[in-house]
Amino acid sequence: MASVYDFIIVGGGIAGCTLASQLHKHLPQQSIALIEAGLDVNSHPRATDIPNAAPLVGSESDWKYSTSPQRHLNGRVCPNNAGKALGGGSVINACEALVTFRSCDRWLILYLRGGWIRGDASDYDLWASLVKDPRWSYHGFLPYFRRVENYHTREVDHAEHGFEGPVRTQSVSSTHRDYPLRDPLKAAWASAGVVYTADANSGHPQGLGELVENRADGARQPTSSIYSLAGVEVMLDTLVHRVLLEKRGDAQRASGVQLSNGEVIKANREVILSAGAFRTPQTLLLSGIGPTDELTAHGITAVIDAPYVGKNLIDHFLLAQWWKLRHPQAGLALGSPGFMKPAYAKGTPLDWVVTQSVPQEGLKGALANDGDTVEESHPLLTPTRSFVESLVGYAGTNESSPTIPMDGGHITSTVIGLLPTSRGSVTLASADPNASPCIDPNYNATEVDRYVMRSGLRQMMQVLLETNEGRALIEGETVGQGYSPLTFASSDEQLDEHIRAFGE
C-alpha cells in the first residue's frame, strides 16, 4: 500500500465504488485509493444468493446502528441498518428475504427489496429549481438513468430506458413468478380507484406498477461486482478517523486522511468523502469541520465552523401491518406447502408497488398546522407529488406480541412516507472514530408526515377491508396484546397511536 495517491475516496459503498471505477476509467494514469471499513463479501453466497441473504442484516456486513430514543414514537429506539462492506448498502439493502430483527420490545419482519424504482420527475425538478441548475432535473439525470441500466424489457419507451448498462433488471412477470394473489390484489386496488401504470419507472410512478428489481435472473448485484475496481487500490477493513487539512492561502484544503490506527495517507489532488449519510458527517466532525460548540464539547479543535454539518437528516418512515388470510390452505403466502414454486425464489414475494399522492385539502391543513404559508405554489402542493408507497408482501410472521408462525396464514402490508418533512441530525457520541454516531431521524415530528401516514394506512385498509376483493382475501388485522385492529373507520387519534407504537 502506498502512502500517497492522487485521489482518496473514503467509503466503498454504492457511490464510492461507482466513482472509483469511473475515475480510473477516465483517468487511468491517476492513482486512486478506495478506503472501506468493511470487507469484500462478493464471493460469499449470502451476497448474491437470495435464500442465504437474510443473515447479512445484523452480520459483520452491517454497522448495526440504532437511533436515539424517538420522542414522537413513544421514546422508542429504532434499528437503523447500514451496509458495512465493499458495495455498501447494495450488499444488505437487497436481501430479498425475510429478515427478523429486534425493534424495541417488538419483533418485526420486513422485506428488504432490491427494488429498481426511479423517483418522481417532480422530485428531481424541484432539486434543479432549488440549486438553479438544470443538470439536477429529471431530464438532466435521464441520460445517466439510461446509461446505468440494462432494462429487462424493450416494450417501453426507449427514450426513458437503457439496455446496455451494467445493472440488469427483472420484473415479477419476466421471472415467471405467477403469485396467486397477483390478480386479486390488482383488482382490489382498482376497486379503490388506483389506476394501473405500465411503466412506473418513467418519471411518473403514480398508480399501481409492477415491482422491478435490480436482479440478474434472481441473483443480487452488489455495486462492487458490476463496476470494475481493477486498477484501484482497495483498502478493506480500514476505518478513516479524520480528513487532514492544510491551510493554503486563505482556505483550508484536504491533504489526506488519518486512519483509526494513526497511519496517514496523503492525496495529491482530492479527498472525496462517500461514507454514507451517517459516517460522512461523523468523519467531517472528527476532522474539525462542524459546529464549534459540538466539536469543543468532544475536545476536537474546530478548524472550520460549519454549523449545518450533521443537520437536516431526512429518512423515510414506514409502518407494517399483518393480515390474517381467510383461506391460508390455498397456498397464498410464504410458509404454506402450496407456495413452493422454484421461480418464487428469484425475488421478493410481492407483485405491486403502489405510489400515490394524498388529498390536497388535508395536506393544506397539515402544512398550516406546521406553520407553513399555504399557497398553491407551495412545492408540496404543485405539482401533485408522490407522498406514499404501499406494498403487500406474501409473507407474515412475528416472534411475539402477536405471535405469528411462518405457516402461510398471514401477509404483510407496508406503508412508506416518501417525502418526509421531519428533519433530524447526526452528531458525535465521542471523539472515538470506532464509536457509532448519535443518529436522530426525528421521525413523525410534523403534522404533514402524520397526515401522510394516516392517508396511506386508510387507503391500505380500504383496499384490504372495504373492497369486495379485499374482503374475500382478508379476515382482519392481527395485532399485539393491548391493541385493537385498525379499520377504515379508525379515528385520526387511533391511527396516530398505532403509528407512534409501531412505526419506524
Side-chain angles (χ1 to χ4, degrees):
M1 181 178 69
S3 59
V4 180
Y5 295 86
D6 293 307
F7 294 92
I8 296 174
I9 301 173
V10 180
I14 295 172
C17 286
T18 306
L19 180 58
S21 178
Q22 294 299 295
L23 270 177
H24 179 69
K25 177 180 178 181
H26 294 285
L27 299 171
Q29 303 306 315
Q30 301 287 302
S31 58
I32 301 166
L34 177 63
I35 306 177
E36 168 55 41
L39 301 174
D40 183 355
V41 298
N42 283 336
S43 60
H44 197 291
R46 290 180 181 176
T48 56
D49 192 25
I50 291 171
N52 292 312
L56 286 170
V57 172
S59 73
E60 70 282 354
S61 298
D62 182 359
W63 284 100
K64 299 187 283 289
Y65 294 131
S66 295
T67 70
S68 60
Q70 294 298 286
R71 62 193 183 101
H72 302 288
L73 301 180
N74 299 338
R76 293 185 295 117
V77 173
C78 300
N80 217 323
N81 307 97
K84 184 185 180 183
L86 194 63
S90 67
V91 172
I92 70 168
N93 270 359
C95 283
E96 291 311 295
L98 288 172
V99 178
T100 308
F101 60 84
R102 186 68 189 244
S103 171
C104 310
D105 56 355
R106 180 174 189 252
W107 287 90
L108 180 65
I109 302 299
L110 287 181
Y111 287 105
L112 298 187
R113 307 176 283 117
W116 190 251
I117 300 175
R118 191 182 295 179
D120 193 310
S122 64
D123 297 346
Y124 302 100
D125 292 344
L126 179 60
W127 295 354
S129 175
L130 289 172
V131 300
K132 297 179 173 54
D133 187 339
R135 291 176 298 179
W136 287 87
S137 70
Y138 178 79
H139 285 288
F141 275 113
L142 186 57
Y144 302 96
F145 292 150
R146 297 180 67 245
R147 186 182 302 174
V148 75
E149 69 184 6
N150 186 335
Y151 214 60
H152 60 279
T153 176
R154 290 182 174 268
E155 296 179 4
V156 289
D157 184 349
H158 286 214
E160 289 287 339
H161 291 286
F163 307 97
E164 299 178 356
V167 180
R168 294 175 59 188
T169 70
Q170 64 178 41
S171 67
V172 180
S173 56
S174 75
T175 48
H176 309 291
R177 286 139 57 199
D178 54 342
Y179 298 122
L181 289 181
R182 178 183 178 88
D183 290 337
L185 280 174
K186 183 179 182 181
W189 283 107
S191 293
V194 178
V195 178
Y196 171 73
T197 178
D199 183 10
N201 280 330
S202 63
H204 304 285
Q206 291 183 22
L208 178 128
E210 186 179 33
L211 172 66
V212 176
E213 300 159 297
N214 57 328
R215 308 270 175 228
D217 195 31
R220 299 168 63 238
Q221 300 172 94
T223 307
S224 52
S225 70
I226 57 175
Y227 282 97
S228 174
L229 295 175
V232 175
E233 181 75 36
V234 179
M235 304 176 192
L236 299 172
D237 197 19
T238 303
L239 182 66
V240 170
H241 179 174
R242 62 193 179 106
V243 177
L244 301 175
L245 300 169
E246 292 180 358
K247 192 165 186 179
R248 300 178 188 173
D250 295 330
Q252 294 281 353
R253 298 296 298 262
S255 61
V257 298
Q258 181 181 349
L259 306 182
S260 60
N261 64 5
E263 184 178 348
V264 169
I265 303 173
K266 304 293 281 186
N268 288 327
R269 294 188 60 177
E270 293 184 22
V271 176
I272 301 166
L273 281 184
S274 180
F278 305 139
R279 282 279 160 175
T280 292
Q282 181 187 25
T283 303
L284 287 170
L285 293 167
L286 291 172
S287 306
I289 304 171
T292 298
D293 55 350
E294 180 182 352
L295 301 176
T296 302
H298 290 285
I300 298 170
T301 300
V303 181
I304 299 174
D305 182 26
Y308 293 108
V309 171
K311 304 303 188 287
N312 291 308
L313 175 67
I314 306 172
D315 196 8
H316 292 130
F317 182 69
L318 63 82
L319 189 141
Q321 295 171 278
W322 295 286
W323 303 95
K324 186 175 181 181
L325 293 166
R326 288 191 184 277
H327 306 290
Q329 72 282 359
L332 304 177
L334 195 64
S336 169
F339 198 84
M340 297 290 287
K341 292 185 178 181
Y344 291 176
K346 290 187 175 184
T348 304
L350 65 85
D351 280 296
W352 307 112
V353 177
V354 177
T355 307
Q356 292 286 281
S357 188
V358 294
Q360 290 275 296
E361 287 308 308
L363 179 58
K364 290 178 181 178
L367 286 166
N369 185 282
D370 286 335
D372 273 352
T373 300
V374 181
E375 299 175 345
E376 291 302 324
S377 60
H378 193 289
L380 292 182
L381 295 173
T382 305
T384 302
R385 306 294 298 280
S386 296
F387 281 94
V388 184
E389 182 177 274
S390 301
L391 314 167
V392 178
Y394 310 139
T397 185
N398 199 52
E399 185 76 10
S400 63
S401 189
T403 299
I404 301 175
M406 177 69 86
D407 60 3
H410 284 75
I411 58 177
T412 305
S413 68
T414 306
V415 172
I416 307 166
L418 297 179
L419 295 173
T421 59
S422 298
R423 295 294 182 266
S425 63
V426 177
T427 55
L428 291 177
S430 80
D432 181 358
N434 294 286
S436 296
C438 294
I439 301 168
D440 180 12
N442 197 26
Y443 290 133
N444 200 40
T446 66
E447 183 58 27
V448 167
D449 289 357
R450 294 188 286 270
Y451 174 70
V452 166
M453 289 302 294
R454 290 195 298 265
S455 299
L457 290 172
R458 280 204 173 95
Q459 186 182 50
M460 182 64 73
M461 289 181 289
Q462 178 188 7
V463 170
L464 297 181
L465 300 177
E466 298 294 313
T467 66
N468 291 334
E469 297 86 356
R471 284 193 295 265
L473 296 173
I474 301 300
E475 186 173 307
E477 184 188 11
T478 299
V479 296
Q481 186 175 2
Y483 291 90
S484 300
L486 295 177
T487 70
F488 183 63
S490 293
S491 67
D492 285 357
E493 292 74 20
Q494 289 170 318
L495 291 171
D496 285 343
E497 179 185 11
H498 209 82
I499 292 165
R500 287 193 299 270
F502 302 118
E504 54 188 39

